[in-house]
Amino acid sequence: MEDANQHDPATLEKLPEGEFMRLFIKHEPALRAFARSILPDWQLVDDTLQEASVTMWEKLGQLHDQAGFLPWAKVIVRFKCLSAVDKLRRDRHVLSQQVLELIADEAETMDADEIVAIRSALAVCLTQFTPPHRELLLAPYAGDGRVKQIADRGSKSVNALYKLLGRLRQRLASCIRGQLEPEMS
């Protein structure tokens, strides 16, 4: 017979540290991808995820069962990300709160297997590009000014590289969709 107090948050015991760490490490790639869907750069993702992990540990008593860890953790990561974006807003232009909420809602529906499949498809598709094209595809994620540095090294203008980047991204997206279609069938 089930104990009536079993789901009362006041009677729940905190998961052991090892179990919390196991769950966090298992779901970290999904949480990192979720945070990146909201935040503009990887450094901010790292900082925010670290802050969120501390909050998760502090609020672990709110977790009703281990199976609910990922949705529960995503809520905490979401609030930490939105807080980080609010701080950024004071310094520069960022997407509106409403747009960020829509992006977060969409990203929240993705499960860990889906993220792994997309990453795998991305890795396969990137191998189909020449090294210079691969470098250009990854340049916007490597930091500010990377595309300009590539333009300075070569014979094309920054504008021409961005146009090429747009075409390369279309090819990459098409390849990824092609890689994922057999899995979705």
Side-chain angles (χ1 to χ4, degrees):
M1 181 160 208
E2 193 172 313
D3 182 2
N5 291 330
Q6 183 174 337
H7 297 291
D8 179 4
T11 63
L12 288 175
E13 290 189 28
K14 199 174 194 181
L15 284 176
E17 184 175 329
E19 188 61 21
F20 169 76
M21 289 305 298
R22 185 189 70 74
L23 288 167
F24 183 78
I25 290 169
K26 175 183 177 185
H27 295 292
E28 185 181 8
L31 294 171
R32 187 170 294 284
F34 176 62
R36 183 61 172 105
S37 71
I38 301 170
L39 299 172
D41 65 60
W42 287 108
Q43 181 61 47
L44 196 53
V45 168
D46 290 342
D47 294 345
T48 303
L49 212 54
Q50 183 176 16
E51 201 175 305
S53 69
V54 170
T55 301
M56 284 177 219
W57 177 250
E58 291 169 347
K59 296 182 180 250
L60 197 53
Q62 296 176 354
L63 183 61
H64 296 283
D65 61 21
Q66 294 175 14
F69 181 85
L70 185 58
W72 172 80
K74 280 185 175 180
V75 169
I76 293 171
V77 169
R78 176 187 201 141
F79 283 112
K80 292 295 182 182
C81 288
L82 294 175
S83 175
V85 168
D86 283 342
K87 290 176 189 170
L88 281 177
R89 241 186 218 107
R90 290 177 231 148
D91 298 334
R92 58 182 171 179
H93 299 291
V94 294
L95 298 173
S96 73
Q97 184 78 15
Q98 187 177 18
V99 171
L100 288 171
E101 290 282 345
L102 289 171
I103 291 169
D105 288 343
E106 178 70 24
E108 201 167 292
T109 62
M110 296 178 72
D111 65 14
D113 293 337
E114 194 175 356
I115 292 168
V116 168
I118 292 169
R119 279 187 167 176
S120 176
L122 174 62
V124 168
C125 290
L126 281 174
T127 65
Q128 297 176 14
F129 289 88
T130 64
H133 283 172
R134 209 171 22 248
E135 179 186 17
L136 182 58
L137 278 165
L138 298 174
Y141 311 101
D144 291 337
R146 187 74 181 114
V147 175
K148 184 176 180 340
Q149 290 173 3
I150 293 171
D152 291 344
R153 274 196 339 238
S155 60
K156 293 188 177 184
S157 69
V158 173
N159 192 35
L161 283 180
Y162 274 111
K163 287 180 182 179
L164 174 59
L165 179 58
R167 291 191 301 273
L168 293 174
R169 283 179 169 166
Q170 287 175 342
R171 279 183 39 208
L172 181 61
S174 177
C175 177
I176 291 170
R177 279 191 298 275
Q179 291 286 321
L180 293 175
E181 282 176 8
E183 291 179 20
M184 294 178 174
S185 301

